[in-house]
Amino acid sequence: EDNAILYGDLPFCMLTIGIKVVIPDLSNFSPSALNSFYERFENFLGTMPEKYAMQIHSRTNSDYSNQLSAYKATKGLSKFDEFVRNHNYDRYNYASIEGELWNKTLEIYLTESLTLKGNEKAIGKTLNTSKEGMKGFLSSLKSALTALGGRYEEMDNLDLATAIKSVLNVSTSAVTSEVETQDEDIVDYYYNSDTVSVENGTLYHAGRYHQFLSLRELPEESFPYMCKIFTSNNHKDVSFTLTLRTKDKDDMLLHLETEYAKLTKDIEKESSPSKEDNLNELRQSILDLKKSSGGISSCTLISHLWSSEVESLVSKVDTLKSNFSNLRGARLYQTGLPVESRR
């Protein structure tokens, strides 16, 4: 689909669009500016329609080849300028090899489930209406980004195909070249690849070992900038994908209150400590939801780490787990391990 991803079997399909968020380093911003941005972004999430699912994808990659290639391809204005640029390139290239350079990307994807019926014209109209609706919602983020000197760019077909293919092939320059020169199915790209499963849930592809971790249990509480806790070690070659879904506040309350009533009757027949704990949790969830503006009904976090060496990857996984332990109640598990071995 034009500047979108369409997948599924007719008539039930899903349509996804994406934006690339460009934002300056926020580490030196004033607390008031950061708090203002946090409040705006929180309001943005709180207004997401129930029909949408959002993915926020943050990636820190040590592959700096695209930037270096662009720098090298730019000719100097004089012989001296060319000499200086060549010297700088050698210096930057060495820094890249030593792991001192990296690039960070932030992408937001929005997905809507659709039922496509009718002729080609009717289906096209449904798709266009969906895309325009999602674009309209994402545009409400513009003012919050502008206040910090940021912006976003809509992802085109090349951007979206590159994003999919770079899940395991983390060399951005290689992926871009493949996308531009090949017209193959995305599924075939991975199934007909050198991806193999190795020990301890580790995948190998394109010269890198990969581990995926999922948030098994959410923290007991959330607070602004909590992600700093698990990104504080400034890891390179790691990505975090946060998937959010919303539900109408009244519907959520009705569901929780119905579950509370059922459990109350069950406890009247036969009580137990675990049932009492569940009842208290439901009671607290109802109170919290009544105080909130509604919105997020489910949250999934997937962490992806990669390295050219298994030992380095294992160390990164252990460090990330340790960082998450600082979030009270949060637990990660390695998705590639058998269920009985997850920890």
Side-chain angles (χ1 to χ4, degrees):
E1 181 59 25
D2 187 27
N3 296 336
I5 303 172
L6 179 66
Y7 52 99
D9 298 320
L10 290 174
F12 306 110
C13 297
M14 306 190 78
L15 187 70
T16 297
I17 65 170
I19 59 174
K20 294 185 290 186
V21 178
V22 182
I23 196 167
D25 185 358
L26 304 180
S27 57
N28 293 320
F29 274 67
S30 66
S32 60
L34 291 176
N35 289 336
S36 176
F37 174 75
Y38 177 82
E39 290 175 3
R40 290 188 181 192
F41 192 75
E42 187 179 45
N43 291 335
F44 167 72
L45 294 178
T47 59
M48 184 169 70
E50 184 179 344
K51 60 183 178 181
Y52 295 152
M54 179 185 294
Q55 281 193 328
I56 302 173
H57 182 70
S58 170
R59 180 184 177 101
T60 304
N61 195 342
S62 63
D63 178 17
Y64 212 72
S65 54
N66 276 355
Q67 290 84 345
L68 288 172
S69 297
Y71 185 85
K72 189 175 184 179
T74 303
K75 300 299 181 182
L77 299 177
S78 65
K79 288 185 177 180
F80 178 75
D81 189 21
E82 191 72 19
F83 171 79
V84 172
R85 292 187 66 85
N86 288 336
H87 174 73
N88 286 340
Y89 172 80
D90 291 338
R91 185 159 55 93
Y92 296 146
N93 190 50
Y94 177 78
S96 177
I97 294 172
E98 293 297 306
E100 297 173 1
L101 293 178
W102 60 88
N103 60 82
K104 293 186 176 183
T105 58
L106 178 62
E107 298 157 350
I108 298 178
Y109 300 91
L110 207 59
T111 299
E112 182 178 6
S113 299
L114 300 172
T115 301
L116 301 178
K117 295 182 179 180
N119 55 29
E120 184 176 344
K121 184 177 180 180
I123 289 176
K125 183 178 180 180
T126 301
L127 292 175
N128 286 331
T129 300
S130 174
K131 280 194 292 185
E132 291 306 314
M134 288 190 285
K135 287 180 181 179
F137 170 69
L138 289 173
S139 68
S140 61
L141 181 61
K142 187 175 295 185
S143 60
L145 292 174
T146 303
L148 293 179
R151 69 182 192 280
Y152 72 77
E153 303 168 357
E154 294 181 4
M155 298 177 71
D156 58 21
N157 289 334
L158 177 60
D159 294 327
L160 293 168
T162 301
I164 295 174
K165 287 196 170 186
S166 63
V167 172
L168 289 183
N169 191 344
V170 294
S171 174
T172 54
S173 57
V175 168
T176 302
S177 175
E178 288 177 357
V179 171
E180 290 175 337
T181 58
Q182 298 179 18
D183 184 20
E184 62 179 338
D185 186 88
I186 294 296
V187 176
D188 289 339
Y189 175 77
Y190 282 120
Y191 276 99
N192 299 328
S193 68
D194 64 340
T195 299
V196 294
S197 179
V198 295
E199 294 182 2
N200 297 323
T202 303
L203 295 176
Y204 177 83
H205 179 81
R208 301 289 190 278
Y209 295 93
H210 303 260
Q211 280 273 15
F212 293 86
L213 296 94
S214 178
L215 192 60
R216 184 174 187 175
E217 294 181 17
L218 293 174
E220 294 178 7
E221 58 182 1
S222 62
F223 48 89
Y225 319 116
M226 61 187 293
C227 63
K228 285 186 177 180
I229 290 179
F230 55 85
T231 59
S232 58
N233 289 73
N234 203 22
H235 273 320
K236 298 180 288 292
D237 296 335
V238 60
S239 72
F240 298 96
T241 303
L242 182 68
T243 302
L244 303 171
R245 290 180 173 83
T246 64
K247 196 168 185 178
D248 181 77
K249 179 178 178 179
D250 292 336
D251 290 342
M252 294 173 68
L253 275 174
L254 178 61
H255 172 73
L256 290 174
E257 288 171 347
T258 301
E259 291 297 313
Y260 184 86
K262 288 181 180 179
L263 187 56
T264 301
K265 289 182 178 180
D266 191 27
I267 290 176
E268 289 175 355
K269 295 178 181 178
E270 183 179 357
S271 180
S272 70
S274 62
K275 289 181 181 179
E276 293 289 347
D277 289 341
N278 290 337
L279 189 68
N280 289 332
E281 289 179 6
L282 279 172
R283 184 186 297 113
Q284 188 60 50
S285 296
I286 291 171
L287 291 175
D288 291 342
L289 184 56
K290 286 182 177 179
K291 294 177 183 178
S292 73
S293 59
I296 305 302
S297 65
S298 68
C299 170
T300 305
L301 179 67
I302 300 292
S303 307
H304 173 203
L305 303 95
W306 61 91
S307 176
S308 58
E309 300 177 354
V310 173
E311 294 78 8
S312 173
L313 180 60
V314 170
S315 175
K316 290 168 67 172
V317 169
D318 288 342
T319 300
L320 185 63
K321 286 183 175 180
S322 176
N323 288 350
F324 264 94
S325 67
N326 294 321
L327 296 173
R328 192 172 60 180
R331 290 182 61 194
L332 285 174
Y333 71 84
Q334 294 166 239
T335 58
L337 294 178
V339 174
E340 63 272 12
S341 302
R342 293 175 179 176
R343 55 184 176 86

